[in-house]
């Protein structure tokens, strides 16, 4: 019911710190690292279903042997597709090993050198990426990892990430000024080419330093040992504006994970004597390596985790740190709820909504039925029920302490429980072959099914909790009409997230202002109250700021919402999403920003709710998005 907000992308990095032979001997398989990478990617598949990619680097292989391998896929089951292809290579190699053993009497399948010489994806550095496209077509060229190639090992760069840059145009112009001719103006290519440029310069710096002391090919090994990746990041990332967790692999086997200075995008790591592991979610690391949660660390915002060619690890700052504004949507919706911290936070989000819910149903819990949709809202629902139980416990205590109750009243009070039902369930998927709006709307109305005969008609209120309400189209075209067939007196839709008012520009697929039902509600209120001049005033300020190059200094769009209370906007949203042909009264409750920050105190990134963007580029994006809306242009503002 959150109208399918597209998730953040997911990253998974594994560095084997021991020689390849160690894992072959201990785990009796040449695919130990690949098996772990597959598990980490499957545990984060919620983060990206538009495509996937895997890359692998072999360290210290002899010249003439391929040392970088990469597969990408945009198939419906992209991860399974990629690893299915890799497994074919291993099965073919195992057959070859049997043939060698039959001919020579020697079994090469126990020899790491044989595997690395004959089979791809047998390197010590493994990178996986899961893609949710925020723009562009779903083509394999848009899938990470991206590869920047060279015949010099130390100049090769493989990159993948969970990021969006707000200043791609500026970064593109910078590349042109450096003398490059970028093939595309997209953040993935721009970022890789910029880091690649300074990696080239670092190679040249070290080459000039050591060329008189060493001869090739020894000089190539010296370059690999001396490359300063932190310096490369310091020089290349200083003018990045966005949210990012970027992974880079060099051809010689060193790697880095760089996190944006506001900590917008998540990145966690774990290491022991055998491995260094990085992922977008802690749960993927915990499940894959069976480590304790307190062994999983968060990469410091503005710092990079650097893993050198020899497997040594350091975390070093590469850019000035900003106030931490980690994405709160990770906690509300994106990340898996099995993480204990996220699970606790989501339950608290549900619990904190109780005062608003009780007010909306006039404290009539006897005639109120509670439910949830979609499945991702289940944890907030459990928290909501816990909050109701706490409320009832306090009422029982007050009643008992306040005076003597008759036995019947006491029994009724002690045995009463909130009424909980599974009212809505998803039945079928909307098929993409349906192209007309009329047919699609008809199909959407049948996507969900409901449970009948559990509502006292004309008496009961229904409270349905969701994790977020973005566009409101699913409510308007399906859910409310479906619930109305149960004949409740009132339908209360509850969002565990606050009102989404502003576009995101750091990775989430929420970029067009007119799609937000909160924005539509504000527009309707401005019209009703004769305040439409505010739209022109805001538009003029945005246009002037964009022309003067000062649009990054202030979010002028806040003025659209300023005349109204949160409750007024919620009430108007209820009017907008309520189908005209239903009988039940409809109200909408949103989480407050204050309560969100109470529930998720370490993840205060709330710009899509408040308009308080953590980087200057965010202000520019929202101002440009509003100008696009006023012009009727439906394109991304970044």
């Amino acid at each position: 019911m959150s109208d399918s907000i597209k998730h953040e992308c997911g990253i998974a990095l594994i560095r084997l710190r021991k020689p390849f032979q160690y894992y072959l001997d201990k785990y009796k398989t040449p695919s130990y690292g690949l098996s772990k990478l597959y598990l980490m990617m499957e545990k984060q598949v919620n983060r990206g279903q538009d495509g996937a990619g895997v890359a692998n680097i072999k360290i210290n292989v002899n010249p003439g042997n391929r040392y970088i391998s990469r597969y990408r896929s945009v198939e419906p089951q992209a991860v399974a597709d990629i690893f299915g292809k890799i497994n074919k290579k291993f099965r073919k190699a195992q057959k070859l090993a049997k043939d060698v053993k039959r001919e020579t009497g020697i079994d090469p399948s126990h020899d790491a050198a044989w595997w690395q010489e004959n089979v791809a994806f047998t390197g010590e550095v493994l990178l996986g990426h899961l893609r949710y496209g925020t723009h562009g077509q779903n083509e394999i060229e848009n899938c990470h990892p991206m590869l920047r190639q060279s015949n010099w090992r130390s100049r090769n760069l493989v990159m993948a990430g969970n990021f969006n840059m707000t200043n791609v145009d500026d970064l593109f112009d910078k590349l042109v000024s450096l003398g490059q001719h970028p093939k595309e103006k997209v953040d993935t290519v721009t970022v890789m080419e910029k880091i690649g440029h300074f990696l080239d310069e670092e190679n040249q710096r070290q080459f000039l330093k050591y060329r008189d002391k060493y001869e090739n090919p020894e000089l190539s090994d010296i370059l690999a040992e001396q490359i300063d990746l932190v310096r490369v990041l310091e020089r290349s990332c200083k003018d990045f504006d966005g949210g990012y967790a970027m992974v880079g692999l060099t051809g010689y086997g060193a790697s880095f994970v760089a996190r944006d200075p506001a900590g917008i995008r998540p990145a966690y790591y774990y290491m022991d004597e055998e491995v260094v592991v990085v992922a977008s979610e802690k749960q993927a690391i915990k499940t894959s390596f069976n480590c304790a949660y307190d062994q999983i660390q968060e990469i410091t915002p503005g710092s990079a985790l650097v893993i050198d060619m020899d497997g040594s690890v350091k975390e070093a700052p590469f850019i000035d740190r900003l106030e931490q504004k980690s994405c709160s949507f990770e906690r509300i919706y994106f990340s898996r709820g099995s993480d204990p911290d996220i699970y606790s936070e989501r339950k608290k989000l549900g619990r904190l909504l109780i005062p608003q819910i009780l007010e909306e149903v006039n404290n009539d819990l006897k005639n109120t039925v509670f439910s949830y949709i979609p499945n991702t809202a289940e944890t907030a629902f459990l928290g909501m029920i816990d909050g109701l139980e706490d409320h009832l416990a306090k009422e029982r205590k007050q009643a008992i302490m306040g005076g003597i109750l008759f036995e019947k009243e006491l029994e009724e009070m002690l045995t009463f429980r909130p009424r909980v039902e599974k009212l809505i369930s998803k039945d079928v998927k909307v098929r993409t072959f349906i192209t007309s709006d009329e047919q699609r709307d008809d199909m959407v109305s049948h996507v969900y099914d409901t449970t009948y005969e559990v509502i006292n008609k004309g008496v009961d209120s229904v409270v349905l909790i969701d994790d977020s309400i973005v566009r409101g189209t699913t409510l308007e075209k399906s859910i409310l009409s479906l619930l109305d067939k149960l004949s409740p007196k009132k339908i209360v839709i509850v969002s565990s997230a606050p009102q989404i008012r502003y576009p995101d520009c750091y990775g989430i697929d929420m970029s067009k202002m007119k799609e937000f039902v909160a924005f539509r509600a504000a527009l309707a209120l401005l019209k009703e109250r004769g305040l439409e001049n505010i739209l022109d005033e805001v538009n003029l300020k945005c246009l002037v700021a964009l022309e003067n190059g000062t649009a990054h200094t202030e979010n002028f769009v806040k003025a659209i919402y300023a005349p109204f209370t949160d409750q007024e906007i919620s009430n108007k949203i209820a009017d907008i999403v309520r189908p005209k042909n239903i009988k039940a009264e409809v109200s909408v409750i949103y989480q407050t920003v204050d309560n969100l920050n109470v529930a998720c105190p370490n993840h205060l990134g709330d710009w899509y709710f408040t308009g308080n963007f953590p980087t200057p580029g965010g202000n520019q994006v929202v101002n440009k998005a509003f100008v696009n809306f006023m012009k009727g242009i439906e394109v991304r503002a970044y």
Side-chain angles (χ1 to χ4, degrees):
M1 219 171 59
S2 50
D3 305 307
S4 299
I5 305 174
K6 287 193 173 182
H7 297 214
E8 305 303 331
C9 295
I11 56 174
L13 172 70
I14 298 176
R15 169 60 199 272
L16 305 179
R17 304 183 77 184
K18 302 281 188 180
F20 199 79
Q21 188 68 50
Y22 171 89
Y23 304 92
L24 192 57
D25 293 340
K26 181 174 180 178
Y27 298 105
K28 311 302 180 186
T29 175
S31 57
Y32 168 78
L34 284 167
S35 297
K36 294 295 187 182
L37 185 68
Y38 172 76
L39 186 55
M40 287 179 70
M41 292 179 72
E42 282 292 349
K43 289 299 179 182
Q44 297 182 103
V45 78
N46 55 297
R47 303 187 69 84
Q49 297 171 20
D50 288 339
V54 168
N56 183 253
I57 305 284
K58 298 176 184 177
I59 301 175
N60 292 326
V61 296
N62 293 324
N65 290 295
R66 183 180 294 272
Y67 57 94
I68 301 178
S69 302
R70 178 180 64 155
Y71 272 156
R72 297 178 294 175
S73 175
V74 290
E75 294 299 315
Q77 302 293 327
V79 176
D81 180 52
I82 289 170
F83 282 91
K85 292 176 180 177
I86 294 174
N87 285 336
K88 284 183 180 179
K89 289 183 176 292
F90 276 76
R91 288 196 297 270
K92 185 176 179 180
Q94 288 166 344
K95 185 177 182 299
L96 177 61
K98 289 179 180 178
D99 292 342
V100 171
K101 182 179 180 180
R102 187 165 50 250
E103 293 173 6
T104 66
I106 300 172
D107 185 358
S109 65
H110 300 299
D111 182 8
W114 182 87
W115 280 101
Q116 293 197 304
E117 186 174 330
N118 290 279
V119 187
F121 295 98
T122 53
E124 295 87 347
V125 190
L126 305 100
L127 170 61
H129 183 266
L130 297 138
R131 179 178 185 266
Y132 245 130
T134 55
H135 74 288
Q137 295 180 341
N138 193 28
E139 298 176 348
I140 200 163
E141 289 79 11
N142 293 323
C143 280
H144 301 195
M146 299 292 185
L147 176 59
R148 191 176 193 264
Q149 292 180 288
S150 171
N151 267 354
W152 289 76
R153 278 190 312 161
S154 53
R155 289 175 184 259
N156 279 283
L157 180 64
V158 182
M159 284 202 65
N162 171 15
F163 64 88
N164 264 0
M165 298 299 168
T166 68
N167 60 336
V168 176
D169 289 344
D170 294 338
L171 296 176
F172 180 88
D173 292 342
K174 180 67 174 178
L175 287 177
V176 174
S177 72
L178 292 170
Q180 291 195 23
H181 190 98
K183 60 182 181 180
E184 290 182 86
K185 190 186 284 190
V186 295
D187 50 11
T188 303
V189 173
T190 306
V191 165
M192 182 178 69
E193 290 299 334
K194 196 156 187 287
I195 294 175
H197 170 82
F198 287 103
L199 179 62
D200 287 345
E201 284 203 351
E202 176 66 10
N203 269 272
Q204 187 65 19
R205 184 175 78 96
Q206 298 297 346
F207 174 79
L208 294 174
K209 182 177 180 180
Y210 291 104
R211 66 179 177 179
D212 295 330
K213 299 179 183 179
Y214 300 94
E215 298 287 338
N216 283 325
E218 186 181 9
L219 179 57
S220 295
D221 296 330
I222 295 299
L223 289 181
E225 293 173 3
Q226 298 300 320
I227 294 292
D228 186 347
L229 288 178
V230 175
R231 185 174 189 270
V232 171
L233 292 171
E234 287 173 345
R235 302 184 70 203
S236 57
C237 300
K238 61 184 178 182
D239 51 2
F240 286 179
D241 188 299
Y244 54 86
M246 301 183 298
V247 186
L249 315 181
T250 63
Y252 61 91
S255 56
F256 65 83
V257 183
R259 191 177 182 205
D260 69 82
I264 295 170
R265 300 273 66 83
Y268 301 93
Y269 72 95
Y270 161 77
M271 63 180 182
D272 57 27
E273 292 181 351
E274 294 186 358
V275 295
V276 183
V277 186
V278 181
S280 297
E281 297 187 26
K282 288 194 291 185
Q283 182 66 16
I285 299 175
K286 163 67 178 175
T287 302
S288 302
F289 291 89
N290 196 31
C291 55
Y293 270 105
D294 59 10
Q295 294 177 295
I296 303 171
Q297 305 298 314
E298 185 177 4
I299 295 178
T300 304
S303 292
L305 188 75
V306 178
I307 309 168
D308 288 330
M309 187 173 64
D310 64 0
S312 59
V313 183
K314 65 181 177 183
E315 188 178 4
F318 65 90
I319 194 170
D320 291 340
R321 187 172 179 179
L322 301 175
E323 181 183 2
Q324 186 156 345
K325 293 289 185 179
S326 302
C327 175
S328 57
F329 247 119
E330 287 282 353
R331 322 304 287 184
I332 299 168
Y333 180 72
F334 295 141
S335 296
R336 281 180 178 260
S338 49
D339 180 297
D341 292 334
I342 291 175
Y343 183 79
S344 175
E345 289 165 10
R346 289 181 183 174
K347 287 192 73 174
K348 196 163 188 176
L349 286 169
R351 185 188 294 265
L352 290 170
L353 285 160
I354 292 304
Q356 292 170 265
I357 293 171
L358 290 174
E359 182 178 354
E360 199 61 49
V361 299
N362 295 317
N363 288 288
D364 184 10
L365 294 181
K366 184 177 181 181
N367 296 308
T368 302
V369 176
F370 296 89
S371 193
Y372 66 91
I373 188 174
N375 289 339
T376 50
E378 182 179 10
T379 307
F381 171 78
L382 294 175
M384 179 178 70
I385 298 304
D386 284 350
L388 288 171
E389 293 284 7
D390 290 345
H391 168 76
L392 290 170
K394 290 177 182 177
E395 280 203 333
R396 293 180 191 117
K397 181 178 179 180
Q398 290 174 357
I400 293 171
M401 294 182 67
I404 298 174
L405 294 172
F406 291 107
E407 183 178 347
K408 183 179 178 181
E409 294 174 316
L410 180 61
E411 183 178 354
E412 183 176 324
M413 179 169 285
L414 291 175
T415 58
F416 179 78
R417 294 291 181 272
R419 294 171 60 192
V420 173
E421 302 289 353
K422 180 71 172 177
L423 292 180
I424 300 287
S425 57
K426 208 161 190 176
D427 191 25
V428 295
K429 294 182 179 179
V430 180
R431 300 299 179 184
T432 56
F433 60 77
I434 299 173
T435 55
S436 76
D437 291 340
E438 186 177 342
Q439 284 182 299
R440 184 174 291 276
D441 288 348
D442 181 64
M443 177 62 81
V444 168
S445 69
H446 294 87
V447 167
Y448 297 95
D449 201 359
T450 189
T451 306
Y452 290 92
E453 306 304 325
V454 293
I455 300 296
N456 296 318
K457 296 179 180 181
V459 176
D460 287 341
S461 295
V462 169
V463 174
L464 191 73
I465 190 169
D466 186 11
D467 36 36
S468 61
I469 303 168
V470 186
R471 301 171 182 89
T473 50
T474 307
L475 284 173
E476 184 178 359
K477 296 182 182 300
S478 179
I479 300 298
L480 290 172
S481 294
L482 198 60
L483 288 174
D484 190 61
K485 292 178 181 179
L486 304 178
S487 300
K489 179 181 69 174
K490 185 175 187 178
I491 302 170
V492 182
I493 303 297
V494 183
S495 170
S496 65
Q499 297 167 2
I500 297 171
R501 299 181 172 190
Y502 305 93
D504 181 76
C505 50
Y506 305 115
I508 306 171
D509 184 23
M510 300 191 304
S511 56
K512 299 171 187 174
M513 296 206 62
K514 79 169 198 175
E515 294 182 348
F516 305 140
V517 69
F519 182 69
R520 290 161 55 202
L523 294 180
L525 289 170
L526 289 172
K527 184 176 181 180
E528 285 177 8
R529 301 185 187 184
L531 298 174
E532 290 174 286
N533 61 296
I534 292 177
L535 296 175
D536 295 326
E537 292 170 4
V538 171
N539 190 44
L540 180 60
K541 288 181 180 180
C542 292
L543 286 168
V544 170
L546 288 166
E547 179 70 23
N548 295 338
T550 59
H552 63 281
T553 61
E554 183 179 347
N555 177 0
F556 298 109
V557 183
K558 286 184 177 182
I560 301 297
Y561 299 97
F564 316 115
T565 65
D566 292 353
Q567 188 61 55
E568 286 175 321
I569 291 176
S570 292
N571 292 343
K572 180 52 63 177
I573 289 171
D575 291 342
I576 290 172
V577 300
R578 184 182 185 276
K580 294 179 180 179
N581 60 342
I582 72 170
K583 297 179 181 179
E585 180 186 348
V586 174
S587 64
V588 177
I589 293 173
Y590 281 90
Q591 184 69 266
T592 67
V593 173
D594 287 344
N595 279 345
L596 170 67
N597 293 336
V598 168
C600 311
N602 298 319
H603 298 79
L604 301 178
D606 57 13
W607 54 90
Y608 14 68
F609 310 127
T610 64
N612 299 326
F613 289 89
T615 74
N619 290 328
Q620 178 156 318
V621 166
V622 69
N623 291 330
K624 188 175 180 181
F626 183 75
V627 168
N628 287 346
F629 164 76
M630 293 294 285
K631 290 180 178 179
I633 301 174
E634 295 191 27
V635 296
R636 280 172 41 137
Y638 55 98

